[in-house]
């Protein structure tokens, strides 16, 4: 169980990874960021906000994909409410908060790569 003080940051990182998974399943392009590339003092709202706003469009795009990609996108989409932190912080993250965010991101990316790996590539 993550440290309660950083729980929302872990969830925000997991949320970002899930949003990137839907993006890749929908063939939205791009390369997911590496967790080490998140800048110190970043804000979760900046890191997650654009991907969260694009989620519906990406889900609609995934609907037009083959059945396996669509089914996977739906599975990930259904997890999104559980990954939403109570508050998506609009404050700069401290080093410890950034580590919690990155750890959550890495854990979710690894789980999705293991489960959907063959669908995430080109």
């Amino acid at each position: 169980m993550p440290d309660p003080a950083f729980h929302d940051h872990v969830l925000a990182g997991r949320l970002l990874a899930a949003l990137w998974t839907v993006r890749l399943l929908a063939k939205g392009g791009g390369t997911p960021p590496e967790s080490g590339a998140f800048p110190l003092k970043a804000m979760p709202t900046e890191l997650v906000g654009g991907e969260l706003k694009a989620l519906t469009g990406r889900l609609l795009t995934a609907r037009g994909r083959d059945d396996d990609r669509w089914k996977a996108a739906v599975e990930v989409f259904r997890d999104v409410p559980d990954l939403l932190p109570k508050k998506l912080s609009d404050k700069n993250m401290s080093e410890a908060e950034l580590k919690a965010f990155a750890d959550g991101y890495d854990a979710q990316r690894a789980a999705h790569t293991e489960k959907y790996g063959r669908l995430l590539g080109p």
Side-chain angles (χ1 to χ4, degrees), residues 22-30 58 61-62 65 69 119-122:
V22 171
R23 179 178 178 166
L24 294 172
L25 289 166
K27 299 294 268 186
R58 295 214 169 100
T61 300
R65 303 289 304 168
R69 286 180 187 269
L119 300 173
L120 298 176

Side-chain angles (χ1 to χ4, degrees), residues 57-75:
R58 295 214 169 100
L59 191 64
L60 289 171
T61 300
R63 183 66 181 110
R65 303 289 304 168
D66 62 63
D67 285 341
D68 288 343
R69 286 180 187 269
W70 168 241
K71 288 175 186 173
V74 168
E75 284 181 25

